[in-house]
Amino acid sequence: MIELRTPAEIEAMRPAGRFVAEVLATLRDQTRVGTNLLDIDRRAHEMIRKVGAESCYIDYHPSFGASPFGKVICTSINDAVLHGLPFDYAIRDGDLVTLDFAVSVDGWVADSAVSFVVGTPRDEDLALIDTTERALDAAIGAAVVGNRIGDISAAVAAVAHGEGLSINTDFGGHGVGREMHGDPHVPNDGKPGRGYPLRAGLVLALEPWFLQSTDQLRTDADGWTLRSADGSRGAHSEHTIAITEDGPVILTDRSFLGVS
């Protein structure tokens, strides 16, 4: 069921969005060569406990997951792009890292992801990250009253296709509210003018993610981590936004922290 939020409810969602933004900015700043993925998860867990938030991941067990996730943050490295289950791995120079984080604060959820390179970057990795970020900007720009879900999807796809990338639509954006994943599904490819009409009060997590040379995924032995089928690298950018009569509001915006 698609739910629309009142202006007061959207205001009530801001603390969750701000906290998610702060955690991702902090963890990104603290992640360097030698940082262990389990330490990233532990630090995220500490920050959750400190503010009394609730993890959306630790007990999460959808049909596509082999078991409850068991951690509080997704850490995807290089050819992993989604649902990366933290494990005993020390980040190496040049690794492409994606952190995806969602929590509930006072019963309201926010969800966001950021990709970045640790240490010496490859030009192609920076270009892929930039493409996901530009696709996210385009998606947010299309998230206005009077448009439809297909307009958001088409905006994402236009950026990806402009860079010669193919698109997987199995996983994409989604509604956000009291739960992490709700209706509607927002695929990263679609036709403008199609799908659910965008109305004020709709809150969505928009999340372009792309792989460098494929749109096919394989699941790791951990039952969660999704990697590219051909070993090429992936990047993922995500924000939780609210559609209002005055335009989209980015609830997980990190710019107030002086970072993107």
Side-chain angles (χ1 to χ4, degrees):
M1 181 177 70
I2 296 174
E3 298 183 276
L4 301 180
R5 304 301 175 185
T6 66
E9 286 176 325
I10 291 172
E11 284 301 308
M13 296 182 77
R14 286 185 183 273
R18 186 180 182 93
F19 176 67
V20 167
E22 289 174 342
V23 170
L24 285 179
T26 299
L27 295 176
R28 176 177 179 172
D29 183 63
Q30 294 177 351
T31 300
R32 51 186 56 89
V33 174
T35 299
N36 194 291
L37 301 187
L38 294 177
D39 289 333
I40 294 175
D41 182 72
R42 278 192 284 268
R43 176 61 176 141
H45 211 153
E46 289 170 0
M47 297 174 77
I48 289 171
R49 286 195 297 266
K50 184 175 181 180
V51 303
E54 294 184 13
S55 170
C56 292
Y57 290 160
I58 196 161
D59 295 322
Y60 187 51
H61 189 189
S63 59
F64 57 80
S67 60
F69 191 73
K71 305 295 182 183
V72 301
I73 191 168
C74 295
T75 56
S76 301
I77 307 296
N78 297 330
D79 62 326
V81 67
L82 296 173
H83 310 160
L85 186 64
F87 66 105
D88 185 11
Y89 174 83
I91 292 173
R92 301 169 183 171
D93 183 50
D95 277 350
L96 197 168
V97 178
T98 298
L99 303 179
D100 190 353
F101 185 64
V103 298
S104 173
V105 176
D106 297 326
W108 294 106
V109 171
D111 188 4
S112 186
V114 61
S115 290
F116 55 97
V117 177
V118 176
T120 310
R122 303 179 184 182
D123 289 343
E124 58 268 31
D125 290 345
L126 297 180
L128 186 66
I129 293 168
D130 178 70
T131 301
T132 66
E133 292 174 346
R134 288 188 290 110
L136 180 56
D137 288 342
I140 294 169
V144 296
V145 173
N147 274 356
R148 292 177 175 267
I149 291 294
D151 294 298
I152 296 176
S153 301
V156 171
V159 175
H161 293 323
E163 297 299 330
L165 299 175
S166 56
I167 299 171
N168 179 301
T169 55
D170 292 341
F171 298 93
H174 50 88
V176 178
R178 294 293 190 180
E179 304 292 335
M180 176 171 59
H181 287 142
D183 294 327
H185 174 61
V186 188
N188 286 324
D189 196 0
K191 295 182 178 180
R194 303 284 185 89
Y196 182 79
L198 305 182
R199 298 184 172 96
L202 184 62
V203 180
L204 301 170
L206 304 178
E207 47 181 317
W209 61 273
F210 308 128
L211 303 166
Q212 286 173 333
S213 58
T214 184
D215 58 12
Q216 299 300 304
L217 295 168
R218 64 176 180 86
T219 304
D220 249 5
D222 63 21
W224 274 100
T225 304
L226 294 178
R227 298 182 182 275
S228 65
D230 65 357
S232 63
R233 294 187 171 199
H236 176 196
S237 295
E238 178 182 15
H239 274 312
T240 296
I241 66 120
I243 297 173
T244 76
E245 294 289 357
D246 298 322
V249 175
I250 306 173
L251 297 174
T252 51
D253 186 14
R254 294 182 293 274
S255 63
F256 76 96
L257 297 165
V259 298
S260 59

